[in-house]
Amino acid sequence: MRTALVVLALLGVFLAPNFMRADWAAGAEAAQAETVQERPRLVAAMFRSSWCGACRILEPRIDDVRPDYADAPVDFIRFDFTLGQRASVRDLAVEADITELYDRLVGRTGFLVLMDRETGTVFEIVTTNYDREHIREAIDRWLAVTTREAAAAT
């Protein structure tokens, strides 16, 4: 009986963060409504799972930085590999038009990929080595590149 209670408690500890991250899902629904032409070039794709220790460190940092880019042309996407949801997760990659990146990194967790949606170029992979300021610097750096290139193309 004690073992069962300990297992249930551990499951609660590991699964609870999934229910606290509803803002990512809301962003994904909003992204579905956009057309391809309106989508930002810069994509910030988080590969995560509830059992991933690195995710527990990195995700709160990204959640703290993300509101700073609410009006910026950055598309935040979260691929959640918790409890084997790969079929629906791949659908998210198809909708976001980043299936090549997804197929290359499927199942890996604990990092944020900054990439150019149009060219498929991976600019930077943000890991737990990045603090909040370094995450902001990375997003700002690649946001400047993608917006400059978009302006030059018009």
Side-chain angles (χ1 to χ4, degrees):
M1 182 68 175
R2 285 185 190 172
T3 306
L5 290 175
V6 169
V7 169
L8 286 174
L10 288 173
L11 281 172
V13 167
F14 283 111
L15 296 177
N18 292 326
F19 300 107
M20 302 298 198
R21 308 256 181 246
D23 59 331
W24 285 79
E29 290 171 10
Q32 291 174 3
E34 296 176 1
T35 64
V36 174
Q37 293 81 13
E38 295 173 350
R39 287 188 171 171
R41 283 185 63 178
L42 183 61
V43 175
M46 178 71 188
F47 287 74
R48 59 109 37 220
S49 183
S50 64
W51 47 260
C52 171
C55 301
R56 291 175 178 267
I57 295 168
L58 185 59
E59 237 177 342
R61 295 175 187 173
I62 294 169
D63 288 343
D64 289 347
V65 169
R66 199 170 161 208
D68 298 344
Y69 299 95
D71 296 326
V74 180
D75 196 2
F76 285 91
I77 300 169
R78 183 176 81 159
F79 296 115
D80 189 348
F81 294 102
T82 302
L83 303 175
Q85 305 170 4
R86 288 190 181 180
S88 62
V89 175
R90 187 164 198 301
D91 292 342
L92 179 59
V94 170
E95 291 171 11
D97 195 26
I98 56 172
T99 53
E100 185 178 324
L101 174 76
Y102 174 83
D103 291 340
R104 207 172 358 152
L105 300 173
V106 67
R108 298 179 193 172
T109 61
F111 54 90
L112 176 80
V113 177
L114 298 174
M115 69 168 289
D116 186 331
R117 185 191 319 265
E118 288 182 12
T119 65
T121 303
V122 173
F123 294 130
E124 195 162 344
I125 296 180
V126 175
T127 65
T128 56
N129 294 332
Y130 289 65
D131 61 12
R132 287 164 180 80
E133 191 56 37
H134 287 107
I135 293 170
R136 279 187 189 93
E137 290 172 3
I139 294 172
D140 288 342
R141 177 173 41 255
W142 300 115
L143 190 57
V145 168
T146 55
T147 53
R148 184 176 40 232
E149 288 177 2
T154 56

